[in-house]
Amino acid sequence: MMLFCKRRPTKFKYRKWLHWVFAGLFSGTANSSGNGCVVPECQQNQLERIQVVSSTKTERSLADVPVRTQVVNAEQVERLHAKDLNEALKYVPGLQLRPIHGKSGYGIWLQGLDANRVLVLVDGHPVSASTGSAVDTTQVAVTDIERIEIIKGAMSALYGTSAMGGVVNIITRKPEQGVSASVTTSGGSYGEQNVGSNPFAMHHLKAQWHLSREQFDIGFLGDVRHSDGFSNNPDSYSTQGWAGYKANVGLQLGYRPTEATKIRFSPRRYQEDLLTKTTQRNPPFVNQVEKIDLTSTDYLGLTLNHQFEQGSDLQLSLMHEQFDGETQQNTILTSFVDQQRNTDINQKLASVQYNLPLGNHLLTLGAQASTHSMQVVQTKRFNNAPAQRIVEVDNQRAQTQELFAQNSWFVNDQWELMPGLRLHRDKTFGEHLAPMVNGVYRQQTTSGQVNWRLGLGNGYRVPDLKERYYLFDHSHIGYKVMGNADLQPESSTSFQAGVEWLAQDRRFELSLFRNEIKNLIETDEDQAESAAQQLLIYRYRNFAEALTQGVELNGFVPLNSALSLDVGYSFMQAKDRLTKKDLPRRPTHEVKLGLDWASPQPGLVLSVKANFQSAQFENSDNTSETPAFTVWDIKANYELNRQWLLFAGVDNLTSVQKDFTLADSRPEQPRYVYVGARWQY
């Protein structure tokens, strides 16, 4: 690979065009009154009307599913002005979004289990982890989302080795008959932390178009985010927010040869070109360094569904995803790329599922086979010396085969039991049988429906390729992170219990959870090797048993005809069972609050969101702590008519921001003020 010149982020060719589109949308006028849905009571669909698939992989009413499932629907995503999956999930109670080490993105943490242990799916297909371990939620666009379903803990036998912490399943929108289209654009400012003179430091443009006929449908989506970045000290060289672009494009092609058979082909592509700047101090030298991230992900998905006359159905699914990532670290004073890392991840999956109704039973049987490969190569260059090539992961492969069975037993109108088994076979680690059982008792009262849920599950996760084979060489700044081929699989026991009350226009829920994890895989310093190499050497190892347990309280209630309240409270204990210390970056208390107000002005809705997190330790020794903080967001939507919606907002109103010189879990992004518009047909 040639390293004689530096790679700069490609110029965003559509930037000027994006400015014109943004200005053009705001210059439009409306002639008729709107009749769309932006008021809270319209957006809060009755739970019995919401269909979910994640707990059983068959459509079920959210009010009746035996596995606790949280849903973020398309209307909520639009009302929050979410530009990606990260922003769509930020107000889900009991869910944290944490920065991914060494990247600009964020991963999902559920019930104290980190992003490496949370399975992220799109229409049931896994999303590749951008670093080999955690899925970057900022790479997932929400342009065609119908809803997002969240299952916490190892509660379903239908998901495999990566779902020990839970499942986040993104369900894409299926087109309705006819033609539909929409275009949404927005732009905003970080105020004093803007980089450069452009007042609109961030731009977003998304568009979708669907055509549906009796036997076929076709859809297109596109999403582009461009940013100039931000800096908490504009007078310095360093920046904290990325500059460049993130782009998603995709197609949905559907064909129905018969009323009973549906075939869907879904190609998608993600691409990013990002730049951040840092200052590295290595006395007596101070180096200005550019970090460049170039990423592309190509996805192909094919599904076939067939409904048999007797009521059973068959689902076949194939997917292939190729991830290519390149990071560069360029010292400004040199004329060449000092350090470059290329990561190639290839993932293939095939699955089959058969659902068979037998009297008061719904039997689900299935199988899944997957292959996963990873190649990571680092190239270094020092002055005029020949380039040094370091293979960090040498084209390692993992192969798994899984069988699963689950039975939804409708004992009577009130009781449902759902036992399940999943047999996991890994080429390296052998077989593991994971049992799960869930139950729900539905009680009809004069004031509404009460659901009592209970679940027990066994989670299981084999070490990923990064944990087994990685060699992350940062010896030039004093450390290495090394894999460990002798790692053993993690396992967990998850317990969930809860009660839920559903009325016509309100909902309350109390949930208890407990996760006991054995052979937890984390990095730890290898002191003998550190002394031998005179570097800090960190190695992945099985060294801890962990416990996370707690309580979640959630509720939605209209306070009057114009005002509604959505609130969630989480209490969590997360402990290393060997040292008795708190696990880092897990707040004990968290409150997420939403207040929606429908103005007397027709079509205008204002929303206030708040996220409070208590103090949390930043290291396993419990000697470093992030103080408690609260983040406030304000959202406004004004529907001019059926076609036009204007919106605006302020994220992080009080500009709570982390100390970038310390380990700190407060937000990275400062106050962000924006405006936007949506046109739909």
Side-chain angles (χ1 to χ4, degrees):
M1 181 172 294
M2 300 298 290
L3 293 175
F4 297 107
C5 62
K6 296 189 179 186
R7 169 67 171 86
R8 304 281 181 173
T10 56
K11 187 176 181 180
F12 189 69
K13 299 180 181 179
Y14 306 108
R15 185 174 178 182
K16 185 178 292 185
W17 177 66
L18 193 63
H19 278 292
W20 283 106
V21 172
F22 180 77
L25 284 176
F26 273 97
S27 66
T29 58
N31 298 318
S32 60
S33 61
N35 57 2
C37 169
V38 295
V39 296
E41 57 267 29
C42 179
Q43 293 165 342
Q44 287 290 335
N45 296 327
Q46 298 293 334
L47 293 187
E48 60 268 18
R49 297 178 184 175
I50 301 176
Q51 301 296 305
V52 296
V53 299
S54 294
S55 63
T56 62
K57 289 192 179 178
T58 57
E59 285 204 350
R60 294 284 305 275
S61 167
L62 179 59
D64 295 329
V65 289
V67 179
R68 181 189 179 219
T69 305
Q70 294 173 282
V71 171
V72 179
N73 60 36
E75 290 80 9
Q76 292 170 311
V77 172
E78 288 288 341
R79 190 169 79 245
L80 297 174
H81 318 144
K83 297 185 289 293
D84 52 37
L85 180 63
N86 187 68
E87 295 184 0
L89 295 175
K90 64 189 295 188
Y91 306 112
V92 175
L95 181 151
Q96 286 86 42
L97 296 157
R98 300 289 189 187
I100 298 174
H101 178 70
K103 266 198 83 345
S104 62
Y106 289 79
I108 301 168
W109 293 40
L110 292 175
Q111 292 184 345
L113 296 177
D114 65 27
N116 295 359
R117 296 157 180 88
V118 175
L119 180 63
V120 180
L121 308 168
V122 176
D123 290 329
H125 289 168
V127 179
S128 287
S130 58
T131 62
S133 296
V135 171
D136 180 1
T137 54
T138 68
Q139 295 182 356
V140 183
V142 294
T143 307
D144 62 339
I145 281 182
E146 177 180 306
R147 65 185 181 275
I148 307 166
E149 302 176 5
I150 302 108
I151 296 176
K152 297 175 180 176
M155 287 292 104
S156 177
L158 304 184
Y159 301 100
T161 184
S162 299
M164 201 165 76
V167 178
V168 175
N169 192 9
I170 302 157
I171 311 299
T172 59
R173 186 180 294 115
K174 304 304 184 289
E176 299 178 356
Q177 285 290 321
V179 179
S180 64
S182 69
V183 178
T184 303
T185 185
S186 66
S189 170
Y190 299 111
E192 295 179 352
Q193 295 196 27
N194 281 353
V195 175
S197 58
N198 183 7
F200 285 97
M202 168 75 81
H203 303 83
H204 179 224
L205 175 67
K206 68 177 181 179
Q208 58 181 341
W209 174 85
H210 284 103
L211 169 65
S212 182
R213 293 292 184 258
E214 185 175 347
Q215 282 195 303
F216 76 93
D217 61 78
I218 181 172
F220 166 80
L221 67 93
D223 186 288
V224 180
R225 286 156 286 162
H226 177 267
S227 177
D228 294 333
F230 62 83
S231 173
N232 69 332
N233 182 4
D235 295 330
S236 71
Y237 175 81
S238 299
T239 60
Q240 287 73 46
W242 57 267
Y245 74 89
K246 300 185 177 188
N248 297 79
V249 293
L251 286 174
Q252 282 196 359
L253 305 172
Y255 176 58
R256 295 174 289 278
T258 68
E259 290 187 4
T261 304
K262 299 178 182 179
I263 302 171
R264 183 162 295 277
F265 178 59
S266 305
R268 295 195 303 267
R269 179 176 176 83
Y270 171 79
Q271 188 167 314
E272 71 179 21
D273 190 338
L274 311 180
L275 168 68
T276 53
K277 300 176 181 180
T278 61
T279 301
Q280 294 182 355
R281 290 175 170 80
N282 188 14
F285 304 103
V286 177
N287 295 324
Q288 294 179 334
V289 179
E290 290 183 339
K291 181 185 177 186
I292 297 171
D293 290 291
L294 305 171
T295 299
S296 66
T297 303
D298 293 294
Y299 165 90
L300 294 175
L302 179 67
T303 58
L304 182 147
N305 295 76
H306 182 75
Q307 186 80 33
F308 296 98
E309 292 183 359
Q310 70 271 27
S312 61
D313 66 90
L314 181 69
Q315 303 172 16
L316 300 175
S317 182
L318 299 172
M319 66 86 68
H320 175 252
E321 190 169 61
Q322 176 67 46
F323 172 90
D324 295 305
E326 179 180 318
T327 61
Q328 299 177 9
Q329 293 195 34
N330 305 327
T331 302
I332 297 300
L333 296 178
T334 64
S335 59
F336 48 81
V337 175
D338 303 275
Q339 185 179 126
Q340 178 174 313
R341 178 176 286 105
N342 291 84
T343 302
D344 297 312
I345 301 174
N346 189 286
Q347 185 174 207
K348 298 177 182 177
L349 181 144
S351 65
V352 58
Q353 177 176 320
Y354 182 61
N355 302 304
L356 176 64
L358 294 171
N360 59 342
H361 297 263
L362 176 61
L363 184 63
T364 299
L365 302 172
Q368 176 178 299
S370 63
T371 62
H372 188 199
S373 65
M374 186 176 187
Q375 172 89 7
V376 183
V377 177
Q378 182 184 176
T379 306
K380 293 182 176 181
R381 192 174 182 86
F382 303 94
N383 297 324
N384 296 320
Q388 180 183 2
R389 186 175 184 270
I390 302 170
V391 179
E392 297 183 335
V393 181
D394 189 10
N395 196 28
Q396 297 293 334
R397 296 178 179 273
Q399 297 180 358
T400 62
Q401 300 85 39
E402 297 171 81
L403 299 174
F404 57 87
Q406 184 169 276
N407 179 30
S408 296
W409 177 21
F410 303 92
V411 181
N412 52 39
D413 291 341
Q414 294 178 299
W415 281 99
E416 180 183 351
L417 294 177
M418 194 175 72
L421 288 171
R422 189 175 189 99
L423 177 64
H424 181 278
R425 183 185 183 277
D426 184 89
K427 183 178 180 181
T428 303
F429 296 99
E431 292 81 19
H432 178 84
L433 185 64
M436 288 91 166
V437 62
N438 292 273
V440 60
Y441 175 72
R442 309 179 189 95
Q443 181 182 6
Q444 293 294 336
T445 69
T446 56
S447 59
Q449 178 176 322
V450 179
N451 294 327
W452 301 84
R453 292 189 175 94
L454 190 66
L456 184 65
N458 173 230
Y460 177 73
R461 174 180 173 270
V462 301
D464 59 44
L465 294 175
K466 177 180 178 181
E467 292 164 339
R468 290 155 62 187
Y469 302 110
Y470 204 31
L471 172 60
F472 188 76
D473 188 354
H474 261 28
S475 54
H476 64 291
I477 55 175
Y479 76 95
K480 288 183 182 179
V481 181
M482 304 179 70
N484 183 353
D486 296 325
L487 289 172
Q488 295 302 308
E490 300 173 326
S491 64
S492 70
T493 300
S494 291
F495 170 79
Q496 310 265 2
V499 59
E500 177 184 48
W501 176 63
L502 309 172
Q504 182 69 19
D505 57 356
R506 61 198 64 205
R507 172 178 179 265
F508 295 98
E509 181 185 29
L510 167 66
S511 298
L512 309 176
F513 68 89
R514 181 181 174 93
N515 300 294
E516 298 180 5
I517 306 104
K518 295 182 179 180
N519 288 328
L520 183 69
I521 299 171
E522 296 286 354
T523 55
D524 192 30
E525 183 184 355
D526 187 330
Q527 295 183 353
E529 192 71 16
S530 295
Q533 296 193 31
Q534 296 185 336
L535 288 171
L536 286 174
I537 305 297
Y538 295 95
R539 236 179 249 285
Y540 287 98
R541 53 180 294 211
N542 299 101
F543 75 98
E545 296 183 7
L547 168 68
T548 69
Q549 61 183 2
V551 180
E552 292 184 13
L553 288 167
N554 303 311
F556 171 81
V557 59
L559 302 177
N560 55 43
S561 60
L563 197 63
S564 61
L565 176 66
D566 195 348
V567 61
Y569 167 72
S570 301
F571 168 79
M572 180 174 63
Q573 292 179 326
K575 296 285 186 181
D576 183 323
R577 302 183 73 180
L578 300 182
T579 65
K580 309 301 181 183
K581 295 183 181 294
D582 289 348
L583 296 177
R585 297 181 297 281
R586 278 104 169 159
T588 303
H589 305 279
E590 182 182 56
V591 178
K592 294 190 177 181
L593 176 71
L595 196 64
D596 295 302
W597 177 62
S599 165
Q601 173 68 31
L604 177 63
V605 175
L606 300 178
S607 301
V608 176
K609 302 289 184 181
N611 182 358
F612 165 81
Q613 290 188 20
S614 63
Q616 52 199 286
F617 291 111
E618 290 297 326
N619 60 0
S620 57
D621 292 333
N622 293 178
T623 57
S624 174
E625 187 178 57
T626 290
F629 64 91
T630 303
V631 176
W632 294 87
D633 298 337
I634 299 176
K635 313 286 182 179
N637 293 276
Y638 181 49
E639 189 173 24
L640 293 174
N641 54 36
R642 187 179 181 86
Q643 284 77 40
W644 285 94
L645 175 74
L646 303 181
F647 60 87
V650 182
D651 291 341
N652 196 359
L653 177 65
T654 58
S655 203
V656 175
Q657 198 170 15
K658 67 182 293 183
D659 183 340
F660 289 94
T661 65
L662 302 173
D664 194 331
S665 288
R666 285 174 292 183
E668 295 183 340
Q669 181 175 296
R671 181 189 301 111
Y672 176 65
V673 182
Y674 63 91
V675 292
R678 184 194 72 201
W679 172 86
Q680 65 179 6
Y681 172 77

